[in-house]
Amino acid sequence: MDGTDASILQRSGRYRTWIMLAVLLLLAALVLIYGCNLRNRWRFRHIPGPTPSWLGGNLKQLNVPFDSHIVINRWARQYGPLFKIFVGRTPVMIVTDADLVKQLGTKSFMKFHNRPQPIMRFHHGSQTEFEEAGMLFARDKFWAGIRATCEPLFHSRMLRAHGPLINDAASGLVQRLHHLHTAGSVQINDAMAGLTMEVIGGAAFGVDFHAQGEKKSPIVQHAQSLFQPPSSNSFAAMRYLMFAFPFVVPLMYRFFILLGAKRIQEVMEAKGYILGTSQRLLSNAREASKAASSSDSSSSSSASNSGSEDEHDSADPTRNSSNMLSLKTPAATPDADHDIVEGVVQNRSQSEVQPNVTSVLNRPNTGSDYTPACDSPQTESCQTGDSRPEQAVPLLSASPAASSTASAAASTSDAASVQTPGEEGRASRGWRPSWYSATEAANSSTGQGSPPQPWWKLDSWVTALAELQFQRGRAEGGYAYQGQVPEGHSLLYSLITARRKDDLQPLSDLHICAQAFTFVLAGYETTSTAISYALYELARNPVVQSKLQAEVDAFGRERQPSFDDLSSFPYAEAVFHEALRLHPPVTPFIALIRESSRDTELNGLRLPAGTKVGINVLGMHHDPKHFPNPEEFQPERFLAGPSGPVSRHPYAYIPFGVGPRKCIGHKFAMEEGIITLVRLLQQFNFSLDAVKHGGRRLLHNCLITYTPRDGIWLNVEPRNKSA
């Protein structure tokens, strides 16, 4: 090689070095610019708020889930009733003013009627359809139709029917506390979790969940796993990266699936278990209804024609007019979306991928010693304790007529040849993995609108482990309740005959199961936490506890309060309201957040379409302008009613939300809370555990719900019978 060639190579090496350096500098500049989030900072420059840091925004300052409520309240005092924070790259407006809440929830509801989808979502493919069909995250006219359909289920007639159910659960709790108090202080929020889950089992699913036994039933374990805030450093890092780089959330989710992340496996199995339970019970309800209809039809054929129709209607719950929830609406118009939502507003002002997945799906959960109980056994396997589920998937059909087809399809031992309702010879369309066929059949059984993505796509294989956990939980949930039929007043049973208001179509199994799942999310953790906080405050304030016991004693210590007796307990109601004021279970990040559908103004400040607005309910409840001495527990604030004195703003106290998207079950939660407090105060005195709570403020987690970080530990002492 001569000198010229050596010189050329040397120059080319220098060029490559400079090019690589330039590329690295360009990438560094892009990352720097990206982390500064200049576009969003500029768009919301006119709104006050704390200065976001590079890349993470205000995440580090918020310290989610531990101190975010404290930090937000401090910022509210510093920046005023409307300020902005950056959760990673996402700007979120925080409202801490009753007038602005009124505008957001009622006056301008048509501009803020949707909740945004959370960034950290653990689902994929067809699971997304299931989660978005629930009332919590449903949007636009679909939400309006589902809401209008479900509202009759929480009228006073239904609440009155649930009174005995709540009393039965409270009796079980009383017995449990009589047993637990002998061993020392009791973690009362754990005991309340069993009570609220048992109530949900009866009210939403129509069966006994056996949630208050010595061992936690699987349904309680799975529900708790959905709310348990992950605390590992790896998950904290993942959370930071997800908020900083939202576009990589799907990739990170799949990456953690491949790593076999325990948290994702728990969430997948929990959601599958609750869905499988809903499916099985819904299928059982339809079969029972069909059997009752056939029996009545046979008996009525020998009766006179004049009385046969009336008898048939009374025997068939799917035709009984008292159970019919169909709602008539005008024909759809080009502006139907707006009209339907507007109508609701007006009405309220009134492991590895296994080659044979069926071997996994067909075995019960061996991780628990809990044995499912069958109150009304109808199958041999339930009576004898057979360890094999009757069928893995599908558990039910998209319509009553297809039930037998789905059962026949599921009974095959080869999941690859499963035939879904209305389709035969699926195997003739070519080979497909067994886990994919199981998912395909299960999704078809709930009437989901879209099949899973093609099996040959890489993403299907990447998410197969999570799908396996989901379908395993689904099969186990169905197996646990295969011999039980929901009672007629339950949400599942009542929704069989319901029709959506937006299109007058019957609810699919997917929609019904999604509402049951939402009822678990909305009614389990929040209500148990609210009752726990009420008992905590009673334990801290013995004078208030004595006043409440005097009211309870005047009613009678041996009587069980009914729904019609609630008016006899104004002080108990005030105690529960005051506990909800001091410790509202909802946070600005999930239930109390809205998304603007168009450009609008709030507090004179312009907000572009798509802006997320959260309500700082904790800050409002602790505002001395509305609640003097806000840190003190004073039930007398609410003796004039939930609105309090005339001088108090009607939107200053909103523990259940505000406007048409206010918690649909808030009256049911109040009924459950008051009856439970009365039943417990009839039997016990409560005091704080001095070791665990003495002289220290209660620490909280604030993520999905507002909960005690280390639990609430109370000394429980039975009252003297003569007291």
Side-chain angles (χ1 to χ4, degrees):
M1 180 181 295
D2 57 19
T4 304
D5 293 337
S7 176
I8 293 175
L9 289 176
Q10 187 177 15
R11 286 198 301 270
S12 109
R14 286 199 300 267
Y15 291 152
R16 284 196 298 269
T17 301
W18 282 108
I19 291 173
M20 290 178 61
L21 182 60
V23 170
L24 291 175
L25 289 175
L26 178 61
L27 290 175
L30 291 176
V31 171
L32 180 64
I33 295 172
Y34 175 87
C36 291
N37 200 9
L38 297 177
R39 179 175 180 270
N40 281 330
R41 286 199 191 188
W42 179 257
R43 292 173 72 203
F44 296 94
R45 65 191 183 281
H46 56 291
I47 299 176
T51 303
S53 61
W54 179 78
L55 198 60
N58 301 114
L59 271 179
K60 187 175 181 180
Q61 298 157 283
L62 284 171
N63 193 25
V64 175
F66 303 122
D67 300 319
S68 56
H69 56 292
I70 299 174
V71 176
I72 287 176
N73 284 341
R74 185 174 69 243
W75 285 339
R77 293 190 294 270
Q78 181 177 354
Y79 297 107
L82 176 64
F83 64 94
K84 69 175 183 290
I85 63 174
F86 283 87
V87 182
R89 293 183 57 80
T90 305
V92 178
M93 309 301 113
I94 302 295
V95 170
T96 315
D97 179 79
D99 287 320
L100 294 182
V101 168
K102 180 179 180 180
Q103 179 183 346
L104 182 72
T106 57
K107 292 182 178 180
S108 299
F109 175 75
M110 295 307 304
K111 300 175 183 177
F112 294 97
H113 58 266
N114 285 330
R115 288 191 181 99
Q117 295 293 332
I119 293 177
M120 296 180 64
R121 289 181 287 173
F122 287 169
H123 55 70
H124 58 272
S126 54
Q127 291 182 28
T128 304
E129 184 181 357
F130 167 65
E131 295 200 5
E132 294 180 355
M135 200 183 308
L136 186 63
F137 293 115
R139 299 171 67 87
D140 302 320
K141 66 178 182 179
F142 177 76
W143 162 80
I146 289 291
R147 174 85 185 204
T149 300
C150 292
E151 278 187 336
L153 303 180
F154 296 93
H155 286 171
S156 58
R157 176 177 60 86
M158 299 297 290
L159 297 178
R160 187 173 291 106
H162 292 318
L165 169 69
I166 298 172
N167 270 296
D168 288 345
S171 296
L173 177 62
V174 168
Q175 293 179 5
R176 187 180 180 191
L177 292 181
H178 272 297
H179 173 70
L180 291 176
H181 89 278
T182 59
S185 62
V186 177
Q187 187 174 4
I188 205 68
N189 54 303
D190 188 57
M192 290 303 137
L195 174 130
T196 55
M197 182 56 74
E198 196 155 300
V199 171
I200 286 174
F205 297 84
V207 296
D208 188 352
F209 275 168
H210 301 282
Q212 299 194 79
E214 292 186 8
K215 295 182 181 294
K216 290 182 181 178
S217 64
I219 190 74
V220 175
Q221 295 177 21
H222 288 306
Q224 287 180 336
S225 69
L226 291 174
F227 288 93
Q228 182 180 359
S231 56
S232 64
N233 292 331
S234 61
F235 193 87
M238 181 179 74
R239 181 176 60 232
Y240 187 91
L241 291 175
M242 281 183 169
F243 283 115
F245 302 95
F247 57 87
V248 302
V249 169
L251 295 177
M252 293 189 66
Y253 167 58
R254 285 153 176 79
F255 174 71
F256 275 86
I257 289 175
L258 293 176
L259 288 182
K262 182 179 178 181
R263 177 60 178 161
I264 290 180
Q265 292 178 1
E266 291 175 346
V267 171
M268 289 293 106
E269 189 165 348
K271 291 193 293 188
Y273 190 95
I274 297 173
L275 174 59
T277 298
S278 306
Q279 287 182 282
R280 169 59 68 191
L281 293 172
L282 185 57
S283 177
N284 293 348
R286 284 209 169 100
E287 291 174 2
S289 175
K290 183 179 179 181
S293 178
S294 300
S295 175
D296 183 75
S297 177
S298 299
S299 62
S300 64
S301 62
S302 61
S304 60
N305 292 334
S306 60
S308 61
E309 186 64 27
D310 292 338
E311 294 171 2
H312 184 74
D313 285 346
S314 64
D316 183 2
T318 63
R319 297 183 59 184
N320 193 317
S321 59
S322 65
N323 284 327
M324 286 298 292
L325 303 177
S326 59
L327 300 168
K328 296 182 179 180
T329 55
T333 65
D335 202 18
D337 190 342
H338 179 279
D339 292 342
I340 290 174
V341 179
E342 184 77 41
V344 172
V345 180
Q346 295 173 356
N347 182 55
R348 289 193 60 83
S349 63
Q350 309 221 325
S351 121
E352 294 180 355
V353 180
Q354 301 295 329
N356 187 7
V357 72
T358 52
S359 64
V360 179
L361 294 179
N362 282 341
R363 61 182 174 88
N365 187 355
T366 57
S368 172
D369 295 331
Y370 176 80
T371 301
C374 298
D375 293 340
S376 304
Q378 295 181 345
T379 63
E380 182 180 353
S381 62
C382 187
Q383 294 171 343
T384 61
D386 188 353
S387 62
R388 293 175 297 120
E390 179 185 354
Q391 62 193 48
V393 287
L395 298 173
L396 65 149
S397 62
S399 63
S403 179
S404 60
T405 306
S407 298
S411 63
T412 179
S413 60
D414 184 6
S417 61
V418 170
Q419 297 177 1
T420 57
E423 292 187 58
E424 296 183 358
R426 181 175 294 280
S428 64
R429 288 159 51 185
W431 179 88
R432 52 206 338 106
S434 56
W435 54 264
Y436 182 86
S437 295
T439 300
E440 197 172 33
N443 289 349
S444 178
S445 73
T446 55
Q448 286 174 259
S450 56
Q453 60 183 342
W455 66 266
W456 42 263
K457 285 194 173 182
L458 177 62
D459 187 58
S460 295
W461 290 91
V462 171
T463 58
L465 280 173
E467 188 65 34
L468 177 66
Q469 290 295 126
F470 182 79
Q471 297 301 342
R472 175 184 172 180
R474 195 171 184 170
E476 289 171 353
Y479 169 63
Y481 297 93
Q482 60 180 328
Q484 302 187 48
V485 178
E487 296 184 5
H489 59 72
S490 65
L491 180 141
L492 274 179
Y493 206 94
S494 300
L495 287 180
I496 290 176
T497 55
R499 292 180 180 271
R500 288 168 48 185
K501 184 178 178 181
D502 54 332
D503 58 8
L504 294 182
Q505 295 300 311
L507 294 178
S508 70
D509 290 355
L510 174 73
H511 297 149
I512 296 175
C513 294
Q515 306 325 309
F517 182 73
T518 299
F519 200 60
V520 171
L521 291 180
Y524 162 65
E525 177 88 349
T526 53
T527 307
S528 67
T529 300
I531 300 173
S532 300
Y533 277 130
L535 291 173
Y536 170 78
E537 292 297 340
L538 288 173
R540 290 182 65 241
N541 298 271
V543 174
V544 175
Q545 185 174 170
S546 297
K547 288 183 180 179
L548 179 54
Q549 285 175 334
E551 181 179 79
V552 169
D553 292 349
F555 173 79
R557 291 182 59 184
E558 303 301 325
R559 295 175 59 190
Q560 292 189 1
S562 66
F563 175 77
D564 295 318
D565 293 324
L566 295 182
S567 59
S568 302
F569 303 103
Y571 199 69
E573 181 179 357
V575 165
F576 198 55
H577 278 304
E578 179 69 351
L580 286 169
R581 182 193 70 81
L582 275 173
H583 311 283
V586 291
T587 71
F589 302 113
I590 299 292
L592 291 178
I593 191 168
R594 301 289 184 269
E595 184 178 69
S596 63
S597 59
R598 64 193 81 167
D599 293 348
T600 186
E601 284 192 0
L602 196 62
N603 200 34
L605 299 173
R606 181 180 55 81
L607 302 179
T611 300
K612 297 171 178 59
V613 183
I615 300 174
N616 178 22
V617 63
L618 186 67
M620 293 174 57
H621 286 188
H622 289 246
D623 189 342
K625 180 173 63 177
H626 303 296
F627 303 99
N629 303 315
E631 302 303 322
E632 295 184 9
F633 185 72
Q634 299 178 0
E636 288 75 15
R637 305 177 200 268
F638 292 95
L639 285 180
S643 298
V646 177
S647 59
R648 185 186 303 156
H649 197 292
Y651 289 85
Y653 172 73
I654 52 167
F656 298 103
V658 62
R661 292 204 83 138
K662 182 178 181 178
C663 173
I664 194 172
H666 67 280
K667 292 182 180 179
F668 179 74
M670 289 298 302
E671 177 187 15
E672 185 178 356
I674 294 171
I675 289 178
T676 301
L677 287 178
V678 170
R679 293 296 307 279
L680 293 179
L681 270 294
Q682 286 175 332
Q683 301 292 327
F684 302 106
N685 295 314
F686 296 93
S687 60
L688 291 179
D689 183 323
V691 175
K692 293 184 170 64
H693 293 300
R696 294 187 297 274
R697 71 181 181 92
L698 197 62
L699 300 178
H700 308 274
N701 287 330
C702 183
L703 187 59
I704 299 177
T705 53
Y706 181 75
T707 56
R709 186 181 307 174
D710 301 314
I712 294 176
W713 295 83
L714 302 182
N715 298 315
V716 181
E717 294 296 332
R719 295 180 62 190
N720 191 317
K721 291 291 184 181
S722 61

